């Protein structure tokens, strides 16, 4: 159930509603917006009549949420969520670019990557240290050594760090080095991992599963929110369809749909979405035009020598071109880069 408090509701009135919800066995999630405080009650709704809440002091409206995800629904935060990390805001007016190689390979590679993505205007460097590879014989990542290299390079160039977490045992070591935990497509429904990430205080980027519906993506986000972590960013990275020309089918329509259904920021990954560097730029433009709050893009100083995902990794000059074009698209949709 969602209870929207009146603009001038007092702390006492808000507390009164919270107490009533708790008495009815709801877990209460409070969202303090600029105008309204919204209280999201998660629990069994079978016997609750919203009318009972509509008449409480300070209440503007109360209603049941029909969808199975509640805290992820737009109604919980109608104004939208902005995830703030240091001086970077994701979900605000500015389109945020996260860029870097698929994997951290060595110090030189990650240092040149940081230098080139920062110069082109990215705010976050990406790079996997724990890699989910389809084959157990492929490069599996440098682990904690890779994370340290990534952090050092990021700090030298004023960038934030995003890297993929594959299971809950990696959370403590990763917390030392990363600003954003990435949950990969293969782990979107790893509910034990999601539960643990719901308990921490760092932002999480949740990628859409390879064959996940939009509803399943939002339900996975709900696991994180229900744990009390509200700094969640969603990511469209392409889904598997009958089409074989591209690695995945980039579902651009998911962007406006998710923005309508949910308050969470949504970014796009045109690299995994297409699997081919010649198609990354047009899909990046399309994603921003469709309302994405940012992009995560694979860029490598020398993609033909990349140990993973070289074919979809942009060359340095292609990434600079992408950023220049984004500035034009962003301003056409009333945003900036
Ligand atoms: C990645 O970002 O390198 C990655 C493995 O992404 P996804 O989980 O979307 O396949
Ligand atoms: Mn990759």
């Amino acid at each position: 159930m969602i209870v929207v408090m009146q603009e001038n509701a007092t702390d006492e009135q808000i507390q009164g509603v919270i107490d009533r919800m708790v008495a009815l066995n709801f877990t209460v999630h409070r969202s303090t917006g600029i105008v309204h405080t919204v209280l999201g009650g998660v629990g069994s709704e079978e016997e609750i009549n919203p009318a009972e809440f509509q008449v409480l002091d300070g209440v503007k409206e109360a209603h049941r949420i029909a969808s199975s995800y509640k805290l992820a629904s737009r109604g919980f935060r109608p104004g939208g969520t902005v995830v703030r990390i240091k001086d970077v805001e994701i979900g605000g007016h500015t389109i945020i670019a996260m860029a870097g190689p698929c994997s951290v390979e060595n110090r030189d590679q990650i240092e040149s990557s940081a230098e080139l993505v920062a110069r082109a205007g990215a705010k976050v460097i990406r790079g996997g240290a724990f890699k989910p590879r389809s084959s157990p014989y492929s490069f599996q990542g440098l682990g904690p050594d890779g994370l340290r290299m990534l952090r050092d390079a990021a700090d030298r160039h004023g960038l934030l760090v995003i890297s993929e977490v594959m299971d809950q045992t990696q959370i403590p070591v990763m917390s030392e080095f990363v600003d954003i935990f990435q949950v990969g497509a293969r782990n979107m429904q790893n509910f034990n991992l999601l539960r643990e990430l719901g308990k921490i205080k760092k932002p999480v980027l949740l990628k859409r599963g390879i064959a996940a519906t939009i509803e399943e993506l939002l339900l996975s986000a709900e696991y994180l929110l229900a744990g009390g972590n509200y700094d969640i960013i969603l990511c469209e990275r392409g889904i598997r369809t009958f089409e074989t020309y591209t690695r995945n089918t980039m579902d651009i329509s998911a962007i406006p749909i998710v923005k309508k259904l949910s308050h969470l920021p949504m970014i796009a990954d045109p690299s995994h979405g297409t699997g081919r560097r010649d198609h990354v730029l047009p899909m990046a433009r399309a994603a921003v035009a469709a309302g994405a709050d940012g992009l995560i893009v694979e860029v490598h100083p020398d993609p033909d020598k990349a140990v993973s995902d070289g074919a979809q990794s942009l060359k340095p000059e292609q990434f600079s071109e992408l950023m220049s074009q984004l500035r034009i698209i962003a301003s056409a949709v009333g945003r900036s880069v």
Side-chain angles (χ1 to χ4, degrees):
M1 183 172 62
I2 290 279
V3 179
V4 183
M5 301 301 296
Q6 287 165 1
E7 212 172 313
N8 57 0
T10 63
D11 286 344
E12 219 178 2
Q13 289 170 333
I14 295 170
Q15 195 54 49
V17 176
I18 294 174
D19 291 345
R20 186 76 194 117
M21 288 170 113
V22 171
L24 291 166
N25 289 325
F26 280 104
T27 303
V28 184
H29 295 260
R30 175 175 176 162
S31 157
T32 310
I34 298 167
V35 183
H36 297 286
T37 291
V38 178
L39 303 172
V42 182
S44 155
E45 297 196 5
E46 274 137 45
E47 284 142 44
I48 303 298
N49 179 3
E52 192 188 320
F53 281 87
Q54 285 155 4
V55 296
L56 296 183
D57 289 346
V59 170
K60 179 170 178 271
E61 54 193 80
H63 40 88
R64 281 204 183 94
I65 303 181
S67 58
S68 37
Y69 49 88
K70 303 188 187 298
L71 302 173
S73 73
R74 179 53 81 168
F76 182 57
R77 276 189 179 166
T81 285
V82 177
V83 174
R84 294 187 175 82
I85 316 159
K86 298 177 188 159
D87 58 346
V88 174
E89 290 190 349
I90 303 163
H93 180 264
T94 308
I95 308 287
I96 299 298
M98 308 182 186
C102 180
S103 307
V104 180
E105 299 170 12
N106 55 60
R107 245 179 216 288
D108 283 351
Q109 173 246 17
I110 205 66
E111 170 59 31
S112 351
S113 303
E115 204 267 325
L116 79 91
V117 304
R119 189 166 12 96
K123 296 281 186 243
V124 185
I125 184 165
R126 60 149 291 144
F130 299 105
K131 293 304 301 176
R133 304 306 301 280
S134 298
S135 161
Y137 308 119
S138 301
F139 175 66
Q140 304 286 310
L142 297 180
D145 292 342
L147 292 172
R148 187 165 289 111
M149 291 174 198
L150 188 58
R151 182 78 258 171
D152 290 349
D155 288 347
R156 269 194 291 275
H157 296 279
L159 296 164
L160 298 176
V161 166
I162 182 167
S163 196
E164 177 164 356
V165 58
M166 283 175 58
D167 80 75
Q168 52 269 48
T169 60
Q170 295 161 350
I171 297 174
V173 61
M174 288 192 69
S175 291
E176 266 184 69
F177 299 109
V178 309
D179 299 296
I180 308 172
F181 281 92
Q182 172 178 327
V183 175
R186 293 158 191 79
N187 266 318
M188 189 202 83
Q189 288 188 316
N190 180 341
F191 300 119
N192 290 332
L193 175 62
L194 298 179
R195 270 204 198 88
E196 290 306 312
L197 290 169
K199 294 181 196 158
I200 64 168
K201 290 282 163 267
K202 281 203 188 215
V204 175
L205 176 80
L206 178 65
K207 293 183 114 185
R208 182 176 182 185
I210 288 167
T213 63
I214 290 171
E215 169 139 335
E216 285 163 341
L217 172 65
L218 294 174
L219 280 167
S220 288
E222 188 79 10
Y223 270 87
L224 296 161
L225 296 161
N229 190 347
Y230 300 129
D231 287 333
I232 309 304
I233 306 149
L234 303 174
C235 180
E236 167 59 42
R237 48 78 73 205
I239 47 173
R240 183 157 294 173
T241 66
F242 51 79
E243 181 54 68
T244 55
Y245 186 80
T246 45
R247 180 178 178 182
N248 292 292
T249 297
M250 184 81 187
D251 181 8
I252 297 286
S253 70
I255 299 163
I257 294 169
V258 166
K259 297 291 296 179
K260 187 164 197 175
L261 295 176
S262 177
H263 55 86
L264 294 171
M266 173 82 158
I267 70 165
D269 175 348
S271 308
H272 294 86
T274 58
R276 293 180 48 142
R277 80 172 72 103
D278 51 341
H279 299 313
V280 169
L281 181 49
M283 285 297 106
R285 289 194 301 250
V288 170
D293 296 300
L295 294 172
I296 182 163
V297 181
E298 287 185 342
V299 184
H300 193 288
D302 188 358
D304 296 334
K305 299 212 176 80
V307 301
S308 59
D309 287 352
Q312 68 192 32
S313 298
L314 296 182
K315 297 177 181 176
E317 62 277 13
Q318 291 176 312
F319 181 61
S320 310
E321 176 60 19
L322 180 149
M323 292 301 288
S324 311
Q325 295 196 14
L326 283 195
R327 288 186 185 97
I328 303 166
I329 304 286
S331 79
V333 292
R335 300 183 81 171
S336 58
V337 172

